[in-house]
Amino acid sequence: MTERVSKEITPKTEDFSQWYLDVVLKTELADYGPVKGCMVIRPYGFAIWEAMQADMDRRIKETGHVNAYFPLFIPKSFLEKEKEHVEGFSPECAWVTVGGGEELEEPLAIRPTSEAMICTMYAKWVKSWRDLPVLINQWANVVRWEKVTRPFLRTTEFLWQEGHTLHATEQEAEEETMRMLGMYRSFYEEVLAVPVVPGRKSESEKFAGALRTYSVEALMGDGKALQGATSHNLGQHFATAYGIEFLDRDQQRALPWSTSWGASTRMIGGLIMTHGDDAGLVLPPKVAPYQVVIVPIPPRKGDWNEAVLPRAREVAETLRGAGVRVHLDDRDTQQPGFKYADWEMRGVPLRLEIGPRDVESGQCVLVRRDTRQKETVPWPGLPARVGDLLAAMQRDLLEKARRFLADNTRRVATYDQFKQVMADTRGFLVAPWCGSAECEARIKQETRATVRVIPLDAPAAAGPCVRCGERAPADVYFAQAY
Ligand SMILES: [Zn+2]
């Protein structure tokens, strides 16, 4: 059996970022588009996105939200209404100044995010406490002009969902913010098999215009953190700026509280960097475009159309009937060994081999992508066994990633140790921090690490600030980040 490592992919340990690009390009998840920073999501990559989207969309709806769609172009004056928001986003805005061959009276921003557009519409729609809460989500593309880009992780145009809600009270808005943070956390763990650390962002890392920003942070294979999704309590800033008012139960004019929350195609980057290995992608069964690939093995003499292919087709149909996403690789231009390596590189969870002898003895061979464990399974028990193996692989990938996270989350006693770890293995460092932006900036300058999150319900700090020695209210998570 050829357990060969694909020669096309740079080993992960040799050069992690080249390995990442090799995986993205060679497994045909994405390709570079003609405009710098814009990627083409190819069918195999888009199928992963569709699987993610379907599951997350269900979770968004189960928590009471509905989908809508808002325009791509945002008039400049709309964007300028919230001061912090425009300062945060205008450096990365793309502008349309000509339309239909004529200079526009007002430049239009291509949405970098939709608070300005959606809040403007909410001001028109919301009149009374009876109109609240407003719980709307949109699936869309956004554009943020980036200088340094990398497929899925940082692209000028990307796909995402953005939820925008309005509530009568601060408490309801905070509950919503936390509910959606929890949704992201369970989505990451249950669907992507990626464990995350949820928490609040420091002032310097929060969303432009937000009262409080929360995020889930994952740890990638190279020890760098990836911000997985964010959830913002926007306070009354946007309601004030966009003139959203309602009459409360006492017929008094009041300002609603708003939230927004989003997750993007970046999640695909996180998936690759969490589970991939030297042979390429390893996809959790829940988002794999094909959960099983069937590789028929031709007889040494004779035609595979006689016995092997018909049997392989039947097996494919049976598994499809059991709800499994199956692909039958019946290319007669490639040898089985090539196909094994090819699908292994593409991260398909299970490979099913059927040869002439398997047809005779009423069985087939299953090979798991993550462990490469091989087993012979008789036909009658096949759908059940496939279901068990897919569930086991989903579970084991999460377990493995959890161990990696635990092994790479360290407490440090001194700033020297902090610097040493950041220069060496990286990972999450848990250490007391005084809360000062200046201290945070110095740590970033000296170690390239930032405060990723202040954990929720953080216990009192173990000691004084790791850098400056001032009193520290809490232990926080530091890491270098994507
Ligand atoms: Zn400090």
Side-chain angles (χ1 to χ4, degrees):
M1 154 79 225
T2 49
E3 296 291 22
R4 60 181 185 188
V5 168
S6 171
K7 290 197 177 63
E8 295 180 272
I9 290 175
T10 307
K12 217 173 150 182
T13 43
E14 202 176 279
D15 183 345
F16 192 88
S17 70
Q18 189 57 49
W19 167 84
Y20 177 80
L21 291 176
D22 285 352
V23 169
V24 168
L25 298 173
K26 286 171 180 165
T27 64
E28 299 177 343
L29 293 180
D31 201 353
Y32 298 112
V35 174
K36 187 183 163 290
C38 295
M39 65 171 172
V40 177
I41 306 177
R42 299 184 68 176
Y44 196 59
F46 203 74
I48 297 175
W49 177 242
E50 286 178 317
M52 288 181 177
Q53 215 184 4
D55 191 285
M56 188 179 280
D57 193 61
R58 179 180 57 76
R59 289 167 195 258
I60 289 170
K61 287 171 181 162
E62 276 173 7
T63 42
H65 306 87
V66 287
N67 286 336
Y69 186 77
F70 294 84
L72 171 72
F73 300 128
I74 303 179
K76 187 166 186 241
S77 57
F78 284 32
L79 212 55
E80 284 172 343
K81 284 182 183 169
E82 216 290 340
K83 193 171 158 287
E84 279 180 41
H85 190 60
V86 70
E87 281 171 10
F89 281 101
S90 60
E92 43 189 49
C93 261
W95 296 97
V96 177
T97 56
V98 176
E102 282 173 37
E103 188 92 6
L104 300 178
E105 270 177 44
E106 180 177 5
L108 304 173
I110 298 175
R111 67 179 156 224
T113 177
S114 298
E115 277 76 6
M117 174 59 68
I118 292 179
C119 289
T120 302
M121 298 314 296
Y122 285 176
K124 198 171 153 188
W125 297 342
V126 172
K127 303 285 177 217
S128 139
W129 61 272
R130 293 181 193 83
D131 301 325
L132 297 174
V134 178
L135 304 171
I136 292 180
N137 175 65
Q138 120 165 312
W139 289 96
N141 57 341
V142 287
V143 167
R144 295 179 187 176
W145 218 258
E146 298 281 359
K147 291 195 175 71
V148 181
T149 60
R150 202 182 317 211
F152 295 113
L153 295 172
R154 194 168 292 276
T155 50
T156 295
E157 180 186 8
F158 58 88
L159 306 182
W160 77 345
Q161 60 67 220
E162 47 180 324
H164 295 271
T165 70
L166 285 182
H167 306 267
T169 67
E170 176 174 18
Q171 192 197 333
E172 279 179 43
E174 187 66 11
E175 280 168 10
E176 166 77 3
T177 310
M178 299 313 291
R179 184 180 305 118
M180 300 327 282
L181 186 74
M183 185 277 286
Y184 290 131
R185 181 188 186 166
S186 52
F187 175 82
Y188 261 85
E189 298 189 345
E190 292 164 17
V191 180
L192 307 185
V194 175
V196 290
V197 179
R200 187 163 61 82
K201 287 291 192 187
S202 66
E203 284 300 300
S204 69
E205 296 267 328
K206 79 177 189 191
F207 178 76
L211 181 63
R212 285 186 287 275
T213 286
Y214 299 88
S215 74
V216 293
E217 302 277 327
L219 192 63
M220 302 295 101
D222 60 349
K224 283 162 87 172
L226 184 81
Q227 177 174 293
T230 49
S231 186
H232 317 287
N233 183 336
L234 301 173
Q236 292 173 308
H237 303 167
F238 285 83
T240 308
Y242 291 89
I244 313 173
E245 277 186 356
F246 69 101
L247 287 178
D248 68 14
R249 285 166 193 265
D250 305 319
Q251 296 300 302
Q252 301 297 309
R253 282 159 63 158
L255 286 171
W257 296 74
S258 62
T259 83
S260 69
W261 28 273
S264 73
T265 32
R266 193 169 217 226
M267 292 189 286
I268 298 176
L271 194 69
I272 299 167
M273 292 194 291
T274 301
H275 303 301
D277 63 18
D278 281 352
L281 275 178
V282 177
L283 292 173
K286 287 195 179 166
V287 293
Y290 306 130
Q291 296 167 313
V292 175
V293 63
I294 301 177
V295 179
I297 300 159
R300 271 207 279 174
K301 287 178 192 165
D303 187 355
W304 72 348
N305 283 307
E306 277 165 24
V308 175
L309 265 190
R311 190 66 226 181
R313 288 198 187 102
E314 273 174 50
V315 169
E317 275 317 301
T318 306
L319 290 177
R320 251 175 228 131
V324 180
R325 295 191 288 274
V326 190
H327 176 68
L328 170 62
D329 187 353
D330 57 3
R331 289 177 286 179
D332 55 10
T333 49
Q334 305 293 352
Q335 293 299 314
F338 173 89
K339 294 179 183 178
Y340 295 169
D342 192 35
W343 293 112
E344 186 168 73
M345 179 178 81
R346 288 166 202 266
V348 175
L350 284 178
R351 177 171 84 230
L352 191 156
E353 307 167 5
I354 302 181
R357 266 186 299 169
D358 298 314
V359 174
E360 276 166 32
S361 51
Q363 61 184 33
C364 61
V365 173
L366 287 174
V367 187
R368 252 174 86 157
R369 170 63 180 88
D370 58 336
T371 58
R372 296 196 168 96
Q373 270 165 1
K374 216 172 167 170
E375 65 182 66
T376 302
V377 183
W379 305 131
L382 186 65
R385 190 60 192 145
V386 163
D388 288 349
L389 286 172
L390 291 174
M393 180 167 163
Q394 183 79 31
R395 228 177 16 243
D396 292 351
L397 286 178
L398 176 61
E399 252 346 282
K400 190 178 168 198
R402 277 197 172 129
R403 279 198 304 278
F404 179 82
L405 176 64
D407 291 347
N408 289 281
T409 301
R410 296 176 183 86
R411 286 194 165 270
V412 282
T414 68
Y415 193 48
D416 279 341
Q417 273 182 330
F418 188 113
K419 285 193 278 194
Q420 186 56 48
V421 174
M422 277 306 157
D424 182 24
T425 55
R426 299 193 281 234
F428 279 127
L429 286 186
V430 185
W433 172 54
C434 60
S436 122
E438 195 210 327
C439 187
E440 186 184 15
R442 287 285 293 277
I443 293 172
K444 184 175 183 180
Q445 199 178 34
E446 289 162 4
T447 68
R448 292 196 289 155
T450 49
V451 175
R452 298 321 301 159
V453 283
I454 303 155
L456 305 173
D457 308 318
C465 175
V466 71
R467 196 197 70 88
C468 70
E470 292 293 316
R471 205 187 72 81
D475 285 346
V476 304
Y477 277 70
F478 289 95
Q480 292 176 16
Y482 274 96

